Amino acid sequence: RLPGEPPLVSHWIPFVGAALDIGKAPLDYMRSLQRRLGDVFTIKLAGWDVHVFMNPLDVPSLERAKSIDHTQVIGQFVSQMVGDKHLIHNPAKHSEVIPKTLEKTLRSAMHLITLCDSCTSILPKTIERTLKSEFSSKRKMKIGLYKLCKKLVADMTLNLFFGSLASDKDCSEETRKICEEFFVYFDSSALLVDRIPIHLLPATKRSRNKMFELLSDFDFENRENVSKLISQVAAVGKSHNPENSTNEERVRHLLIILWSAQANTLPALFWTLFHILNDKQAKVDVLQEFEKHLGKSENFYDVTTVGENLQWPTMDDIQRIKKGDLDKMVVLDSCLKETLRVSGSSMAVRRATQNTTITLHSGKVYNIRKGDYTSYFAPVTHQDTQIYEKPEEYRHERFLQRGEKDPNMLKSRTQFSKEGKRISPSTSIMTFGYGAIRCPGRHIAMIEIKVLALTLLKHFNIDLGQIYDRSSKDYPQPDLTHLGFGVMPPDRDVGSFPLQLKSL
Ligand code: HEM
């Protein structure tokens, strides 16, 4: 070790390093290292030095360190997920085209209102298609919560980003085929990131190839409401390098967007609904807030008869949910933030492009060598007892505070503290990563999850059938193979309820 480098953790098998311990019990292992070595230390992972940071007060120092960059990390990640032939931070192609497109279209707050409108207008169809495909013959067929979320998020993502086919029947069929292949690929995508070669995962390879085929058949000129992001990404190959651009590159870009748009939104929707349904008071408070802002729904929508005597609402009330209404729903927002806190597992990895120093909030200075990785391990912050009281508990009101003048008025809590210093929820919850390059899809994801959760809670009888006790063995656990991406999926499904519209 050179002077000034963070303390190095020694491992039994140096090349494998910390991987085995992290894989078994990540939070316990990282906390034990923190107790022994402090908030910054170095672990070995797959032969690399990874400097782990754990104190949210040091986030501004990490943000300021310009030579700690995510470009190579993202480029590598994309190669592992979709294969080498892509233009996303791919040094061989010297391309910045796709990142620029992402920057402009996903990061721009200006699009949020339009996106919320698109979500609310797509949603009734998404729900109708999902339910009809599931329940066309047997009205009372049961579905688990995770399976329902998978279908809804897949349909919503396809139609919101990739546009829709003209007929509903074709849309349902397309979503069905994509779901069938995508989730086989998704379930083992973490293994690809762990650099397991795809030829050792034959089912994953088959599904990925099938996804490439399905996406290459997408004819964007004949789809309705294709998002700006996808039209630009689909056109990137052509405009960037007309002679060499291939359809192969294009479908790889489409697949990585499809993956990013679902990989975390799906588990985040599942956990949000799970916690609200598992906590009776949370459900009551969310629904009361909905009624306060949008009124009661009696006789709100027409019930229309569609085929086979099934009755589907037009759901005018869903379409009435505007961005401004969502912003006022602070209880729902608090439920979602609390979900992102308890289930968030991001590791925000960056790589040093040159030798650099990082000065922590305490004044301590660490040297980082060119080529080393840094990571902010968010789950430890999410369970920090200095920031959160009883952090192991899900408390739906944790991110709320009462108005100073009117104690009956609830508003979003904007400050927590650590070591006597103030921190905002955007630093105390790091599920979307940190800094200027944290997730550009976070606003869209929050809107999607809120609109889907409200609609299901408001209009359907969804029920877990029991209250799950955190200490019981039935309580769903996060699937640790997805540690580090954002939100881990559950290791099992829960519920299994007949999905029915609430009667008016
Ligand atoms: C709850 C949902 C989501 C979570 C928790 C999440 C989490 C994350 C995290 C942790 C990162 C890495 C950030 C960092 O290193 O600091 C990331 C990056 C990214 N996310 Fe998300 N994400 C979500 C939804 C979405 C959605 C809906 C999209 C839409 C396409 C999206 C697109 C992306 C992209 C493109 C990047 C890479 C950005 C870049 O290259 O700079 N995400 N996300």
Side-chain angles (χ1 to χ4, degrees):
R1 303 295 283 168
L2 297 176
E5 289 183 322
L8 178 68
V9 177
S10 55
H11 304 288
W12 285 107
I13 315 171
F15 183 79
V16 176
L20 295 177
D21 293 307
I22 294 180
K24 266 189 267 163
L27 191 62
D28 292 347
Y29 177 63
M30 288 301 201
R31 275 170 158 174
S32 72
L33 294 179
Q34 185 188 34
R35 275 193 298 275
R36 192 151 57 87
L37 303 165
D39 288 330
V40 187
F41 49 81
T42 307
I43 53 175
K44 291 263 181 205
L45 270 181
W48 297 106
D49 277 8
V50 182
H51 309 291
V52 183
F53 292 78
M54 299 220 187
N55 191 329
L57 297 173
D58 292 328
V59 169
S61 313
L62 291 168
E63 285 172 2
R64 278 193 299 271
K66 295 282 175 259
S67 43
I68 301 221
D69 179 60
H70 81 316
T71 314
Q72 280 187 28
V73 178
I74 294 279
Q76 241 168 20
F77 175 87
V78 176
S79 293
Q80 279 145 232
M81 292 290 291
V82 298
D84 269 335
K85 292 181 184 156
H86 64 83
L87 297 171
I88 303 174
H89 292 312
N90 186 339
K93 307 266 181 181
H94 299 292
S95 171
E96 284 295 321
V97 183
I98 294 231
K100 291 244 162 67
T101 299
L102 288 176
E103 285 292 326
K104 275 201 209 127
T105 45
L106 270 176
R107 291 193 195 277
S108 153
M110 293 304 287
H111 291 290
L112 288 183
I113 293 172
T114 330
L115 274 162
C116 184
D117 287 352
S118 312
C119 280
T120 47
S121 57
I122 285 169
L123 189 63
K125 280 275 164 219
T126 290
I127 291 196
E128 185 176 328
R129 277 192 295 262
T130 302
L131 299 192
K132 270 165 96 179
S133 66
E134 201 59 35
F135 299 98
S136 54
S137 50
K138 297 177 201 146
R139 188 92 203 263
K140 296 246 164 165
M141 212 168 99
K142 293 185 172 184
I143 189 164
L145 184 61
Y146 189 50
K147 188 171 174 204
L148 174 67
C149 292
K150 270 185 178 175
K151 284 173 169 272
L152 289 171
V153 171
D155 190 289
M156 179 81 136
T157 307
L158 268 181
N159 291 283
L160 185 62
F161 289 95
F162 291 69
S164 311
L165 292 167
S167 110
D168 249 13
K169 199 163 159 259
D170 293 343
C171 270
S172 300
E173 185 51 18
E174 184 179 77
T175 308
R176 190 192 60 73
K177 282 193 199 151
I178 298 261
C179 265
E180 210 171 280
E181 301 303 338
F182 180 81
F183 288 110
V184 176
Y185 167 65
F186 172 73
D187 287 346
S188 44
S189 50
L191 295 175
L192 295 177
V193 178
D194 286 343
R195 290 192 255 175
I196 307 288
I198 195 151
H199 66 263
L200 297 179
L201 307 166
T204 315
K205 186 173 178 189
R206 198 198 60 83
S207 290
R208 190 171 84 176
N209 287 341
K210 194 77 198 144
M211 285 300 302
F212 288 150
E213 266 172 47
L214 290 168
L215 290 170
S216 91
D217 288 344
F218 272 43
D219 173 6
F220 289 104
E221 285 175 11
N222 286 313
R223 296 177 76 88
E224 292 164 7
N225 302 321
V226 179
S227 69
K228 212 165 148 194
L229 171 72
I230 290 298
S231 346
Q232 290 181 1
V233 168
V236 150
K238 287 183 204 144
S239 56
H240 172 65
N241 193 351
E243 303 91 71
N244 295 331
S245 76
T246 61
N247 190 38
E248 209 180 321
E249 276 168 353
R250 191 180 82 128
V251 293
R252 283 170 207 264
H253 301 152
L254 294 175
L255 181 56
I256 198 70
I257 299 281
L258 189 65
W259 184 91
S260 331
Q262 294 188 82
N264 287 303
T265 311
L266 162 63
L269 174 66
F270 167 85
W271 290 113
T272 303
L273 281 165
F274 171 77
H275 288 301
I276 295 178
L277 293 169
N278 207 36
D279 175 343
K280 284 203 171 101
Q281 193 55 46
K283 188 174 170 187
V284 168
D285 290 351
V286 167
L287 289 176
Q288 265 178 6
E289 183 181 53
F290 182 101
E291 285 183 1
K292 185 172 147 205
H293 294 294
L294 286 162
K296 285 197 187 293
S297 68
E298 271 89 12
N299 303 323
F300 230 33
Y301 48 72
D302 295 327
V303 176
T304 42
T305 306
V306 185
E308 298 185 37
N309 300 324
L310 288 177
Q311 292 194 313
W312 297 101
T314 58
M315 295 193 198
D316 283 348
D317 43 356
I318 299 173
Q319 299 192 15
R320 289 189 339 132
I321 304 175
K322 301 281 179 244
K323 176 80 176 49
D325 300 317
L326 285 185
D327 292 343
K328 283 184 224 148
M329 293 189 200
V330 290
V331 177
L332 178 65
D333 189 64
S334 176
C335 291
L336 178 47
K337 283 187 182 136
E338 180 67 343
T339 300
L340 294 172
R341 182 187 72 80
V342 293
S343 318
S345 73
S346 73
M347 283 166 69
V349 180
R350 314 277 185 260
R351 194 166 194 195
T353 52
Q354 56 192 60
N355 289 343
T356 188
T357 55
I358 295 187
T359 308
L360 304 185
H361 76 286
S362 58
K364 200 162 186 170
V365 180
Y366 282 118
N367 294 328
I368 307 288
R369 286 185 221 190
K370 178 179 174 181
D372 283 359
Y373 289 89
T374 65
S375 164
Y376 190 93
F377 191 76
V380 169
T381 300
H382 297 167
Q383 294 295 325
D384 189 332
T385 48
Q386 281 187 42
I387 307 174
Y388 301 112
E389 192 187 313
K390 296 215 185 249
E392 67 287 359
E393 290 177 6
Y394 174 90
R395 293 185 173 180
H396 77 282
E397 73 292 4
R398 194 183 293 276
F399 291 90
L400 292 175
Q401 66 187 58
R402 301 208 168 265
E404 288 105 44
K405 288 192 188 134
D406 176 3
N408 289 324
M409 203 188 95
L410 289 175
K411 49 185 195 169
S412 291
R413 183 164 171 183
T414 49
Q415 273 175 8
F416 288 83
S417 71
K418 180 170 168 76
E419 298 172 26
K421 298 199 172 66
R422 290 172 170 186
I423 47 173
S424 69
S426 65
T427 311
S428 68
I429 312 172
M430 305 272 276
T431 308
F432 290 114
Y434 73 85
I437 50 178
R438 77 193 148 130
C439 175
R442 62 191 186 283
H443 300 297
I444 305 167
M446 298 283 275
I447 291 175
E448 274 185 74
I449 294 167
K450 286 179 183 178
V451 174
L452 276 167
L454 276 181
T455 309
L456 288 172
L457 294 168
K458 183 74 192 153
H459 298 289
F460 293 87
N461 285 317
I462 59 171
D463 190 357
L464 297 177
Q466 67 177 94
I467 293 297
Y468 288 83
D469 187 284
R470 220 163 22 91
S471 56
S472 99
K473 64 176 179 6
D474 295 340
Y475 196 89
Q477 298 297 328
D479 172 356
L480 290 178
T481 58
H482 287 249
L483 179 84
F485 292 143
V487 180
M488 291 179 278
D491 62 351
R492 73 200 78 173
D493 208 343
V494 292
S496 193
F497 39 83
L499 238 200
Q500 288 172 302
L501 274 167
K502 276 185 187 168
S503 49
L504 287 174

